[in-house]
């Protein structure tokens, strides 16, 4: 049974087309992540961020209880949706980034994680997956897209 975890809506100070163009191409993320202001990233997470591996169609996040997790670009709908699907996990996990124009210079963004989690494990992973969704939007909102 699939469980869904939605972040709060975050505000990105850039037009939706620019945000979509950058997020729909994982290779753009390295430059963007390198430009996130240090005060937006907790010191204990900074090293993890430096160890993120990025290719043309995937992002590999280090560590965690399951080891490294690779998210592959699965589907995009310009300029409103970027979907990434986890590879090599024992359960199905999809992360969607929903983008919506707030005005010509601002984008509303929301992360949605959909995971097939066995009933017995749901209480253990519910909190961490919700935190991931929230942190993703916090990070995206802190990226200086217009620079």
């Amino acid at each position: 049974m699939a469980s869904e975890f939605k972040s709060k809506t975050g505000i990105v100070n850039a037009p939706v087309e620019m945000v979509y163009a950058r997020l729909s191409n994982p290779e753009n993320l390295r430059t963007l992540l390198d430009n996130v202001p240090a005060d937006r990233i907790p010191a204990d997470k900074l090293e993890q961020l430096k160890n993120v591996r990025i290719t043309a169609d995937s992002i590999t996040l280090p560590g965690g209880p399951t080891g490294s997790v690779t998210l592959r670009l699965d589907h995009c709908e310009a300029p409103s949706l970027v979907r990434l699907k986890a590879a090599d996990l024992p359960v199905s996990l999809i992360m969607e980034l929903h983008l919506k124009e707030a005005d010509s210079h601002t984008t509303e963004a929301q992360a949605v994680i959909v995971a097939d989690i066995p009933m017995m494990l749901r209480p253990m992973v519910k909190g961490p997956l919700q935190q991931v969704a929230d942190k993703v939007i916090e990070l995206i909102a802190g990226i200086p897209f217009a620079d």
Side-chain angles (χ1 to χ4, degrees):
M1 178 178 199
S3 297
E4 190 173 88
F5 306 91
K6 292 183 179 183
S7 72
K8 295 177 184 173
T9 300
I11 301 299
V12 181
N13 293 316
V16 69
E17 293 84 6
M18 179 183 289
V19 176
Y20 173 81
R22 300 264 179 109
L23 294 179
S24 63
N25 180 349
E27 288 182 317
N28 289 331
L29 291 179
R30 174 51 57 203
T31 303
L32 292 172
L33 291 175
D34 288 346
N35 290 325
V36 174
D39 63 339
R40 292 281 197 159
I41 304 167
D44 63 322
K45 302 296 181 202
L46 195 55
E47 190 61 34
Q48 281 184 328
L49 193 59
K50 289 179 182 177
N51 291 322
V52 171
R53 290 190 321 264
I54 298 173
T55 68
D57 69 343
S58 71
I59 303 163
T60 301
L61 307 169
T66 62
S68 294
V69 174
T70 299
L71 298 171
R72 296 205 183 282
L73 201 55
D74 183 56
H75 179 75
C76 294
E77 291 176 23
S80 60
L81 175 69
V82 176
R83 181 181 300 138
L84 302 161
K85 188 173 185 178
D88 304 324
L89 284 182
V91 297
S92 171
L93 185 135
I94 294 171
M95 180 184 300
E96 295 182 341
L97 302 173
H98 295 266
L99 307 172
K100 180 180 172 186
E101 181 179 76
D103 61 42
S104 62
H105 302 292
T106 310
T107 301
E108 293 179 358
Q110 183 180 43
V112 178
I113 297 174
V114 179
D116 287 329
I117 303 167
M119 186 68 80
M120 290 176 35
L121 296 179
R122 210 167 283 151
M124 290 186 293
V125 299
K126 182 171 90 172
L129 285 176
Q130 183 63 54
Q131 287 178 347
V132 168
D134 293 337
K135 290 293 180 189
V136 164
I137 287 305
E138 198 176 297
L139 182 62
I140 289 173
I143 293 173
F145 283 90
D147 292 346

